[in-house]
Amino acid sequence: MPVQNRRLPSTRGPDRYPPASSGAAARRAVSCVVVLASLLTAVVLHVRHPDALVTMLPAPDMRDLHVDFDTFWHSAVALTAGQDIYDTPAKLTNLNPPLLTVLLVPFAWLDALTAYRVFMVATLLLVVAAVLAVTRELRLSRTATALALLAVLASSPLHGTLVLGQIYPLLLAGLVAGWIAERRGRPVLAAVLYGVTVALKPSLAPILLLLAVQRRWVPLRAGVAAAAVATLAGVLVAGPSSGVEWLRIAFSEPVPDTVDNASLPGLAVRFGVPPVFGSVVGLAVLVGTLVWIGRRRDRIDPAGTAPWAVLAAGLLLSPIAWHNYLMLLFPGALALVPLGLGALTAAGLALAVIPVSWNADWPPDGVVADLGRSLYCAILIGYWAVLLSSSVRSAAEEPEPVPASSG
């Protein structure tokens, strides 16, 4: 009697390529154009602006260059000294909940520059491990795995994350671990991992709403409880006042008028519109996404592209969604490959290679310049649309169980 491969739960077979559609050739043609245009743009921008992000990694300037990690480090030092973790000499305000500071306490035992370099290497290895874990779970070929890893390593979001010392690799690891647990038939564990990740970055909370619209109440309760417990633990360690201060900062921080803020509120500010209008549109996108999934919940694979589509919708709503957040959606892009949409994966990863120096050559004012500076928002919208449209799995596409002997 054939048995299923043990790498996947008994209710789930391996992903497989669906039959070719009439639009496959058109997708490949458009994707090819996008890939070539993205690579050409990246080359031109690197020639025009040789001070690329990766060249800044060895620089010792903590206050103005590796500024995000400098903020985290100062908060960790303040915590070890029993001081206010949100009132430090750092250049930027720490916008993250106390839990992050608690996790980064070991770095307070090092000087700021050494701590940054250790953190940078560790997070780079974490990204590589996450990408390899996703490609292994999807059973991508060695060639596809190598190309995916190369694209991620060449991406602007990764470069920006490493230079600034941001925590997105930690979030990526949590999301990938939860997604893989879901694929392995452990939805409660998946929800707990998602919940802890949300506790580190509450703007990712919409991923838990996916459980609600699919009426998966036990995992939903586990995910919400994990987020609450992890958040409370961070507040208790850092001091009850830290939680109040973080909430005050979170709700008072204005929407930044910067070109790499890819959210819809950021887009509104860029065009001189009050950010509340962008928030309303972003909320409509998120609610519409959840309603669309909820109406098709019997055909939505919670271990497919649906979680990444909901994450993309949440980022569009968030007041701040830096272009570097895009790296959190790379696993969703890779999940398109087994669906026969590898051309879209190539296009999505190629767009991420365009460096942030894209914004340097635009004139300071004008509608055309504002449109040009909205490239990162357009990329995020594209990811959301593709991931959402690919999340439905019809009955005809349900994979067959694979005998163990087939490998």
Side-chain angles (χ1 to χ4, degrees):
M1 179 178 179
V3 295
Q4 292 182 325
N5 190 303
R6 285 180 292 178
R7 288 186 56 222
L8 297 170
S10 60
T11 57
R12 178 184 179 86
D15 297 314
R16 68 171 186 176
Y17 292 90
S21 66
S22 58
R27 280 198 303 270
R28 285 195 294 269
V30 172
S31 297
C32 183
V33 171
V34 171
V35 169
L36 293 177
S38 299
L39 296 180
L40 178 61
T41 301
V43 170
V44 170
L45 289 175
H46 278 94
V47 171
R48 290 177 59 85
H49 306 279
D51 52 340
L53 287 173
V54 288
T55 65
M56 301 177 183
L57 287 173
D61 186 353
M62 292 298 301
R63 183 171 178 81
D64 294 318
L65 190 56
H66 312 308
V67 62
D68 281 58
F69 184 80
D70 187 59
T71 302
F72 306 149
W73 181 82
H74 274 96
S75 291
V77 170
L79 178 58
T80 60
Q83 300 171 353
D84 186 350
I85 64 174
Y86 294 108
D87 184 15
T88 70
K91 180 179 180 180
L92 299 181
T93 302
N94 189 349
L95 303 179
N96 295 281
L99 177 63
L100 175 66
T101 300
V102 173
L103 293 181
L104 296 183
V105 159
F107 291 96
W109 303 333
L110 305 171
D111 66 89
L113 183 58
T114 302
Y116 160 72
R117 289 172 174 168
V118 173
F119 182 81
M120 184 265 293
V121 172
T123 52
L124 176 61
L125 294 176
L126 203 57
V127 170
V128 171
V131 172
L132 293 179
V134 171
T135 57
R136 180 177 182 272
E137 185 66 25
L138 294 171
R139 303 179 183 181
L140 301 187
S141 67
R142 291 182 179 178
T143 300
T145 297
L147 291 174
L149 187 58
L150 178 63
V152 171
L153 292 177
S155 68
S156 179
L158 176 62
H159 298 167
T161 294
L162 295 178
V163 170
L164 294 173
Q166 293 168 325
I167 64 167
Y168 305 140
L170 301 178
L171 305 179
L172 176 66
L175 294 172
V176 167
W179 182 71
I180 291 178
E182 185 72 70
R183 289 177 64 89
R184 302 293 181 90
R186 305 184 69 180
V188 173
L189 175 60
V192 169
L193 292 168
Y194 286 152
V196 173
T197 306
V198 167
L200 285 171
K201 185 63 69 172
S203 59
L204 305 182
I207 195 171
L208 297 177
L209 298 179
L210 176 63
L211 302 171
V213 298
Q214 290 190 304
R215 301 182 184 179
R216 304 169 65 206
W217 307 121
V218 174
L220 174 62
R221 288 193 291 268
V224 172
V229 169
T231 300
L232 182 60
V235 170
L236 292 177
V237 173
S241 62
S242 66
V244 176
E245 181 65 12
W246 171 68
L247 288 175
R248 185 193 66 79
I249 294 172
F251 285 104
S252 62
E253 190 72 13
V255 176
D257 182 15
T258 54
V259 293
D260 55 338
N261 185 4
S263 72
L264 291 174
L267 179 69
V269 171
R270 193 173 302 117
F271 281 90
V273 179
V276 64
F277 290 100
S279 299
V280 170
V281 176
L283 181 61
V285 169
L286 177 59
V287 172
T289 299
L290 294 170
V291 170
W292 190 88
I293 290 175
R295 290 179 175 177
R296 297 162 177 81
R297 61 181 179 275
D298 294 334
R299 297 169 54 199
I300 295 291
D301 184 1
T305 63
W308 312 105
V310 174
L311 280 174
L315 292 176
L316 287 170
L317 168 63
S318 176
I320 300 176
W322 306 124
H323 180 51
N324 297 345
Y325 271 102
L326 194 66
M327 69 183 302
L328 301 184
L329 303 180
F330 287 165
L334 294 175
L336 297 172
V337 176
L339 302 178
L341 301 175
L344 295 179
T345 300
L349 295 180
L351 284 169
V353 174
I354 299 176
V356 291
S357 55
W358 163 266
N359 302 294
D361 295 331
W362 293 95
D365 300 303
V367 175
V368 175
D370 290 337
L371 286 172
R373 292 193 178 99
S374 301
L375 171 67
Y376 304 127
C377 181
I379 292 174
L380 181 56
I381 292 174
Y383 267 71
W384 164 74
V386 171
L387 293 171
L388 182 61
S389 63
S390 305
S391 61
V392 173
R393 183 177 59 185
S394 67
E397 294 173 342
E398 285 290 343
E400 299 291 336
V402 175
S405 59
S406 69

